[in-house]
Amino acid sequence: MDARIKILPDLVMKRIAAGEVVERPASVVKELLENSLDAGASSISLIVRDAGSGLIKVVDDGCGMSSEDAALCCERHATSKVYTSEDLETISTLGFRGEALASISSVARMEIVTCRQNDSESSRLIYEDGSVVERLKTAPRRGTAISVKDLFYNQPARRKFLKAPSTELRHIISVFRHIAIAFPAVEFELIIDDERTYDLRAADRKQRILDLLSSAQAHTFIPVEKTIGSVSLQGLISRPGSGRKSKQNQLFFLNNRFITDRSLSHAVMTAYGTRLSRNEYPDYFIFLTIDPSRVDVNVHPTKIEVRFLDSRLVYDTVRRAVADGLRTPAVVPELQLVPGKISGARRAAARMRNPEEMGQLTLEAQRQAVGSAPVVDFRSGSRERPPFWQLHDTYILTQIKSSLVLIDQHVAHERILYEKALASLEDKRGISQQLLFPQSVQLDAGEFAVLTDMLPYLNDIGFTVREFGKNTVIVEAVPVTMKNGTEKELLLDMIDMYREESGGSDAVTEKIAAVYACKAAVKAGDPLTLQEMASLVDQLFSTKEPYFCPHGRPIIINLTLEEINKKFGR
Amino acid sequence: MKFSINQSTLLEALQNIGRVVPTRSTTPILENILFDLEDGGLKITGTDLEVSITTRVPVEQVDTPGSIALPARVMTEMIRSLPDISIQFELEENNKLKITTDKGRYHVSGLSKDNYPEQPQFSDAENFTVPNQLIARMLQKTIFAVSSEELRPALMGVFLQIMPDEFRMVATDGHRLSKIVNRGFKAEVSPLKMIIPPKAVQIALKNLEEEGDTELTIDQTGLQFNFGNTTLYTRLVEGEYPDYERVIPRDNDKTLTVDRELLISSVKRVSLFASALTHQIRLELSPNQLLVCSEDLEVGGEGRETLDVEYDGEPMEIGYNANYLLDILRHADTEQVVFKLKSPVRAALITPTAENENESFIMLIMPIKLG
Ligand SMILES: Nc1ncnc2c1ncn2[C@@H]1O[C@H](COP(=O)(O)OP(=O)(O)OP(=O)(O)O)[C@@H](O)[C@H]1O
Ligand SMILES: [Mg+2]
């Protein structure tokens, strides 16, 4: 059979981004896994010992190599993936440089066992310092197994620079995960020091991601999808407030290749905007498909950075896909919506671009009962089913068709007040309740300075705060939306919070609105009457974003009957 | 402990006691009521630690005295569901109470009296007597304005003040205020001030007979109403009541006189179109005419009604919380009411057109400044 691997002509060679690809064990893992994928494997095992410095072995069931190719594959610039300069314009394989095996074989002891579909035997080649030192024939087994032992054995300096085994292992696992996510249809197995760490069946993209994450995160994803011009995007993003604290699941894939791109990360974060709380990092898995001729992956030897011809378009596609995703009703955990009539959600539905899709909460019957009934104790369970329950004076519970809805009373109220305050700041028509007993508030110099900054905005929201002698102010009126009687505490809290939040990129008005909303809202632990609960829910559904508080925490959690049934083993 | 009692007598007592028993408490023992069988009858007590009620009910066939704490809800439900027959109670071993009727036998698990909070004791108490009608009227005219804001505890009660020549009550939540003063009644007691929690006021109003007098016992920390067979004890709210006299305006020079019922029904209708968040309505005053209006910018609803009134001031627009205004109007008991006004950001003074003998009654409402 013909040797398919050729040595690239000089001209092509020169056009390839030069540089070292084997920096650490994880780089070897990446190159070997990519080769297996390029070989069309449907099942790949990765075996690692001693964090990769002892052994890295990749076994695939791909196309294999002829014995001639096997002898050639560790030459520099030996590749079967591109032959001409034109090929470089339309790269559809992960590898194209013909460099990886050459580099690896020169810094480790390597062994290749490979066999094509109809070969009667496997070729086994042992390399040392980049050259074949032994050739054997063994029983046929389709596919290729490449073992890399004693990495950097001949380069003591590099070996010394390896990080702690745990760090190197972490890098290996992250490379493995990225590749496993990019190729969900391929089975992957990872064996670390004889222990099987991952065993991934062929799956679709979402399932593969869920298989890799802890099951606790499973419910928190929103699918996104968008095509603009030549750019199409699919992906999963986490709901704001899912409480992620690390960036390790912020991944972009371009044509099945894991890439990093700061401008695209920025696009995602812009779309999340204020929905995220401080130090919250959403998870996202974004898969871009772009004609290979419109991207240049030949920028960096590790191919992890790419260049987009239409970078603006790609940026916009990402930002809009995420923004749209965050706006869909699916953002409420599993909210099952039924078409129906209710008064509470009517205003909300009217605002919704697609009310049918959104459906309406069937609260009507429940709302009729609101009024005279006493606060119902959730534990005691009364005979008639009450419309709302308050759980631990913190959550409002109610039912909609086929599920239980939990509403966090504080964040719900916060969302309401936030939007009110923002509107007042905009039209400068905050409505004030005048106080019978104006409150004088004594501040320290620092607080007073902060308050002076805030004053015009506070007055727009509906406060009437007057300076009254040294570091003292008098509160004569408060926004009508404020709870009775907490003027002084509220003012002090707001000053504190405003001071902490300074910096930040939000507009002052947004900050003021957020600070006011957070501090003036009912707190967890405040008992509410049925009437108050009903009115809160009503108002919540007339806000623009009933599902997330200004800090990005979820307001509504939906527990479907299905889930509950499952828990009870029905 | 063994006795029998009529279902209706017992149920009435249990329902009254039930008014203080908390439905959910971090101290579960409070969800119980205490039965004390004494020589004179059965004493039933309920408490939430702030307010306690004790009622004595007559029983038949008194056996040995004894006590037990019983779950309030179960007992009340149980007794409620029986017809008006005689019911036998007998305390058995292990705090089990056997309830027997001619048809059935039930066992309720109780707790020993030791678990139940002790009744508060008075020290240096004084007693005085007030006419039921007087105290009921004054409590009714003030309780609605009590604050529910825990951050300002002193406002969370009706302020009662006894001076040598007057008896007064005040309540305010900082947005409205009600003050009623009676000069005809002379209490045989040294001058005193106290703040009574609203729960006690409500229960007192339920227990006050229409006629007759009620004896009150008071010391530094508590107040007790002695209503015949029932005593109601409440701890007093601690704290200094604010200087309300200072905020009552003296120079409101514009006078609006309006038919009370007409205004109530106008405000009720118009407020249906007010924002659910603010309940804000607007009064537009012009000579002898009052326009009551509201709009909800979000839903796009609006309401307007015109009323013929007596008004002599210059035209003015004032916003109010409709609920506050309605509360006030409902408590003024003459056909017409008088608003004394100054400006759209100052307190309005509302009074009935005629005063009862020896009485002065004013209410105050703070406006909502229109944006
Ligand atoms: N697992 C494998 N199965 C089949 N063929 C393989 C496998 N690994 C390597 N090869 C062959 O060896 C060649 C050289 O591999 P190598 O990784 O060095 O270069 P490349 O994949 O072509 O380019 P790059 O340096 O960008 O990875 C490949 O082009 C391919 O033909
Ligand atoms: Mg390769």
Side-chain angles (χ1 to χ4, degrees):
Chain A
M1 196 170 278
D2 275 347
R4 294 181 308 140
I5 298 183
K6 300 207 168 94
I7 306 291
L8 287 173
D10 263 8
L11 207 66
V12 185
M13 227 145 70
K14 287 208 177 90
R15 292 198 42 202
I16 288 174
E20 191 48 68
V21 291
V22 187
E23 291 164 19
R24 59 185 350 154
S27 337
V28 174
V29 169
K30 174 173 182 283
E31 295 299 334
L32 295 184
L33 290 176
E34 289 189 349
N35 281 347
S36 295
L37 290 162
D38 282 344
S42 59
S43 169
I44 302 176
S45 305
L46 166 64
I47 297 140
V48 173
R49 246 183 235 136
D50 305 329
S53 53
L55 171 75
I56 297 168
K57 181 175 180 182
V58 170
V59 183
D60 68 46
D61 63 352
C63 66
M65 286 180 271
S66 64
S67 57
E68 293 86 341
D69 275 3
L72 208 53
C73 67
C74 290
E75 294 291 318
R76 311 224 77 174
H77 313 301
T79 180
S80 59
K81 299 170 192 174
V82 298
Y83 298 120
T84 65
S85 287
E86 288 79 70
D87 292 345
L88 281 180
E89 308 294 322
T90 56
I91 294 162
S92 58
T93 49
L94 297 165
F96 55 85
R97 304 164 70 242
E99 275 281 4
L101 293 183
S103 305
I104 296 167
S105 66
S106 67
V107 294
R109 299 194 170 91
M110 194 164 102
E111 177 188 307
I112 302 182
V113 181
T114 186
C115 173
R116 291 172 304 173
Q117 177 87 60
N118 296 315
D119 288 351
S120 53
E121 48 196 5
S122 302
S123 314
R124 176 160 176 237
L125 290 90
I126 297 173
Y127 286 81
E128 207 138 310
D129 293 329
S131 342
V132 183
V133 294
E134 204 177 334
R135 272 172 194 253
L136 297 160
K137 293 288 177 191
T138 60
R141 186 203 150 275
R142 192 200 148 167
T144 304
I146 299 186
S147 315
V148 175
K149 289 183 199 151
D150 305 328
L151 184 63
F152 301 138
Y153 75 96
N154 51 0
Q155 300 204 313
R158 309 262 312 256
R159 202 168 168 98
K160 215 170 69 195
F161 275 106
L162 289 179
K163 296 266 157 39
S166 60
T167 310
E168 296 300 340
L169 200 56
R170 201 154 36 85
H171 284 283
I172 291 175
I173 293 174
S174 107
V175 163
F176 174 86
R177 286 163 58 108
H178 298 164
I179 289 180
I181 291 169
F183 292 86
V186 176
E187 265 176 38
F188 285 93
E189 171 183 62
L190 170 58
I191 296 171
I192 298 174
D193 294 330
D194 298 321
E195 202 173 302
R196 182 182 289 190
T197 309
Y198 284 105
D199 183 12
L200 304 169
R201 312 255 161 96
D204 61 17
R205 219 173 241 166
K206 179 171 183 190
Q207 191 54 49
R208 171 60 52 91
I209 291 170
L210 297 183
D211 288 346
L212 282 166
L213 297 175
S214 69
S215 57
Q217 289 159 301
H219 296 288
T220 61
F221 284 108
I222 308 161
V224 294
E225 198 164 3
K226 181 132 234 125
T227 301
I228 305 182
S230 58
V231 180
S232 61
L233 176 156
Q234 285 191 313
L236 290 178
I237 61 177
S238 66
R239 297 168 205 286
S242 309
R244 311 298 159 78
K245 293 275 177 278
S246 102
K247 295 183 182 174
Q248 64 156 332
N249 290 323
Q250 303 194 332
L251 311 179
F252 289 103
F253 298 87
L254 166 66
N255 299 339
N256 293 335
R257 185 193 300 278
F258 167 74
I259 58 162
T260 60
D261 187 309
R262 294 179 64 175
S263 115
L264 296 187
S265 310
H266 183 263
V268 175
M269 295 316 270
T270 310
Y272 271 96
T274 59
R275 290 182 181 84
L276 297 175
S277 36
R278 251 181 302 163
N279 304 327
E280 182 187 348
Y281 301 100
D283 287 353
Y284 52 81
F285 302 90
I286 303 239
F287 302 89
L288 292 160
T289 312
I290 301 177
D291 184 333
S293 65
R294 312 294 300 164
V295 282
D296 188 357
V297 288
N298 186 12
V299 181
H300 188 269
T302 60
K303 304 157 188 144
I304 228 169
E305 282 167 35
V306 300
R307 201 173 289 137
F308 298 102
L309 255 57
D310 317 293
S311 59
R312 186 75 227 174
L313 179 66
V314 180
Y315 182 95
D316 284 345
T317 311
V318 170
R319 187 180 50 79
R320 284 172 54 188
V322 174
D324 289 356
L326 292 172
R327 227 172 280 132
T328 55
V331 174
V332 182
E334 329 275 69
L335 188 55
Q336 302 211 332
L337 297 148
V338 273
K341 38 189 164 73
I342 74 127
S343 51
R346 192 179 302 141
R347 299 180 205 173
R351 280 172 196 233
M352 221 67 77
R353 273 173 305 167
N354 194 345
E356 261 75 81
E357 191 182 294
M358 176 63 200
Q360 296 169 346
L361 304 173
T362 53
L363 298 176
E364 185 177 63
Q366 307 170 348
R367 288 166 45 76
Q368 281 170 356
V370 174
S372 54
V375 177
V376 175
D377 180 1
F378 187 62
R379 293 166 308 168
S380 66
S382 89
R383 276 160 304 169
E384 284 125 55
R385 198 164 29 220
F388 296 104
W389 300 266
Q390 198 184 15
L391 179 65
H392 292 294
D393 289 345
T394 301
Y395 300 103
I396 300 172
L397 274 68
T398 189
Q399 61 168 20
I400 58 171
K401 183 108 183 249
S402 62
S403 60
L404 169 68
V405 178
L406 291 101
I407 300 173
D408 181 327
Q409 65 188 42
H410 171 68
V411 286
H413 197 204
E414 200 175 356
R415 163 54 65 190
I416 297 164
L417 296 181
Y418 176 73
E419 291 195 6
K420 284 277 161 205
L422 262 193
S424 305
L425 282 162
E426 223 157 81
D427 61 16
K428 310 213 180 304
R429 285 171 54 101
I431 304 173
S432 325
Q433 169 70 58
Q434 302 292 125
L435 299 176
L436 192 52
F437 303 99
Q439 293 287 300
S440 87
V441 184
Q442 174 74 48
L443 303 167
D444 67 32
E447 288 166 339
F448 188 76
V450 177
L451 185 68
T452 315
D453 282 352
M454 299 170 71
L455 221 51
Y457 302 102
L458 292 182
N459 290 346
D460 284 348
I461 305 185
F463 284 93
T464 305
V465 180
R466 270 197 307 119
E467 290 182 27
F468 184 76
K470 191 161 186 280
N471 297 344
T472 303
V473 291
I474 287 214
V475 187
E476 289 176 336
V478 297
V480 259
T481 50
M482 202 188 110
K483 249 180 75 190
N484 208 346
T486 51
E487 303 84 23
K488 194 167 167 177
E489 291 72 15
L490 180 77
L491 212 58
L492 291 171
D493 282 353
M494 284 176 66
I495 293 172
D496 273 356
M497 186 169 164
Y498 186 81
R499 200 154 36 178
E500 269 169 38
E501 306 256 300
S502 68
S505 58
D506 297 350
V508 183
T509 49
E510 276 172 30
K511 210 151 64 187
I512 295 268
V515 168
Y516 168 71
C518 175
K519 295 304 177 189
V522 295
K523 303 272 173 312
D526 290 348
L528 300 177
T529 63
L530 270 184
Q531 216 152 4
E532 287 168 328
M533 290 191 262
S535 137
L536 196 73
V537 172
D538 230 23
Q539 291 166 31
L540 177 65
F541 279 100
S542 60
T543 62
K544 293 190 197 110
E545 287 233 26
Y547 304 116
F548 292 96
C549 87
H551 299 99
R553 280 158 61 188
I555 296 173
I556 304 177
I557 298 266
N558 197 62
L559 200 57
T560 63
L561 215 49
E562 204 177 49
E563 264 173 83
I564 298 173
N565 287 342
K566 215 189 287 168
K567 284 229 155 47
F568 281 107
R570 289 182 146 215
Chain B
M1 171 170 153
K2 189 174 174 187
F3 61 91
S4 63
I5 184 170
N6 264 346
Q7 185 265 355
S8 54
T9 317
L10 181 56
L11 181 61
E12 195 188 328
L14 289 177
Q15 282 173 333
N16 196 24
I17 306 286
R19 295 188 171 110
V20 293
V21 176
T23 45
R24 43 176 167 176
S25 171
T26 43
T27 319
I29 185 70
L30 299 183
E31 292 168 25
N32 290 266
I33 46 176
L34 187 66
F35 275 28
D36 279 306
L37 187 61
E38 298 175 341
D39 286 335
L42 176 68
K43 199 173 88 183
I44 312 175
T45 304
T47 182
D48 66 0
L49 296 181
E50 184 184 75
V51 183
S52 324
I53 318 184
T54 301
T55 287
R56 263 166 235 280
V57 284
V59 294
E60 300 141 34
Q61 295 178 14
V62 180
D63 197 18
T64 43
S67 310
I68 182 152
L70 296 162
R73 207 168 61 88
V74 173
M75 285 303 289
T76 312
E77 290 300 309
M78 154 78 193
I79 303 303
R80 195 202 311 278
S81 63
L82 290 173
D84 191 3
I85 50 172
S86 166
I87 311 166
Q88 277 80 49
F89 290 83
E90 186 175 352
L91 186 56
E92 299 185 329
E93 303 268 282
N94 297 325
N95 297 319
K96 278 226 180 323
L97 184 72
K98 184 168 84 180
I99 306 174
T100 322
T101 66
D102 54 355
K103 291 265 162 48
R105 220 171 60 213
Y106 319 88
H107 278 96
V108 182
S109 278
L111 291 165
S112 131
K113 179 181 181 166
D114 309 338
N115 297 304
Y116 205 77
E118 292 274 339
Q119 278 301 98
Q121 300 294 320
F122 281 105
S123 64
D124 290 335
E126 282 196 79
N127 287 322
F128 63 101
T129 307
V130 285
N132 289 349
Q133 266 176 6
L134 176 73
I135 192 164
R137 174 173 169 80
M138 293 179 70
L139 289 173
Q140 267 157 7
K141 295 296 180 200
T142 47
I143 175 121
F144 74 93
V146 168
S147 164
S148 54
E149 177 49 61
E150 285 168 17
L151 284 173
R152 211 175 279 166
L155 297 187
M156 294 182 74
V158 172
F159 179 67
L160 183 155
Q161 190 170 16
I162 294 177
M163 292 187 269
D165 51 358
E166 62 175 59
F167 186 42
R168 60 164 70 193
M169 290 194 197
V170 180
T172 179
D173 63 2
H175 295 169
R176 60 248 169 96
L177 177 148
S178 177
K179 171 183 141 187
I180 184 164
V181 179
N182 187 291
R183 291 194 185 77
F185 165 72
K186 302 268 183 289
E188 312 280 303
V189 67
S190 39
L192 56 88
K193 296 179 202 178
M194 61 181 121
I195 305 169
I196 315 170
K199 186 172 182 179
V201 173
Q202 259 139 10
I203 297 172
L205 284 170
K206 292 254 159 44
N207 281 278
L208 277 163
E209 305 266 334
E210 262 178 51
E211 302 293 327
D213 296 327
T214 293
E215 188 198 37
L216 306 184
T217 311
I218 172 135
D219 72 358
Q220 283 299 318
T221 57
L223 165 71
Q224 184 166 299
F225 295 79
N226 307 307
F227 313 106
N229 289 327
T230 299
T231 57
L232 168 67
Y233 172 87
T234 177
R235 298 177 67 87
L236 295 172
V237 177
E238 286 173 27
E240 191 67 19
Y241 207 73
D243 181 3
Y244 57 88
E245 284 297 344
R246 195 174 47 87
V247 301
I248 298 174
R250 314 279 165 196
D251 59 346
N252 283 7
D253 48 5
K254 303 181 182 66
T255 307
L256 164 74
T257 309
V258 54
D259 185 288
R260 194 170 67 94
E261 285 300 335
L262 285 183
L263 185 57
I264 288 180
S265 43
S266 273
V267 170
K268 262 202 231 162
R269 277 188 299 269
V270 167
S271 68
L272 291 175
F273 299 90
S275 151
L277 194 59
T278 65
H279 308 290
Q280 188 201 12
I281 56 154
R282 198 166 69 234
L283 303 188
E284 290 185 24
L285 290 158
S286 51
N288 296 334
Q289 189 176 307
L290 170 65
L291 181 65
V292 184
C293 43
S294 72
E295 66 250 316
D296 186 343
L297 299 172
E298 265 142 52
V299 216
E302 72 170 24
R304 299 167 76 81
E305 280 192 29
T306 321
L307 292 176
D308 290 333
V309 298
E310 282 171 39
Y311 178 66
D312 54 2
E314 64 218 43
M316 187 158 72
E317 279 184 32
I318 314 184
Y320 291 114
N321 178 320
N323 293 341
Y324 293 170
L325 189 58
L326 285 173
D327 272 346
I328 284 182
L329 292 171
R330 288 187 187 115
H331 284 89
D333 33 19
T334 48
E335 222 172 88
Q336 299 210 305
V337 285
V338 179
F339 286 66
K340 292 268 192 198
L341 304 163
K342 179 77 184 174
S343 86
V345 294
R346 301 280 290 274
L349 206 64
I350 299 159
T351 52
T353 43
E355 292 194 330
N356 286 354
E357 206 192 335
N358 292 324
E359 184 186 273
S360 116
F361 175 34
I362 59 159
M363 291 173 285
L364 229 81
I365 181 171
M366 288 308 284
I368 292 177
K369 192 176 75 191
L370 304 164

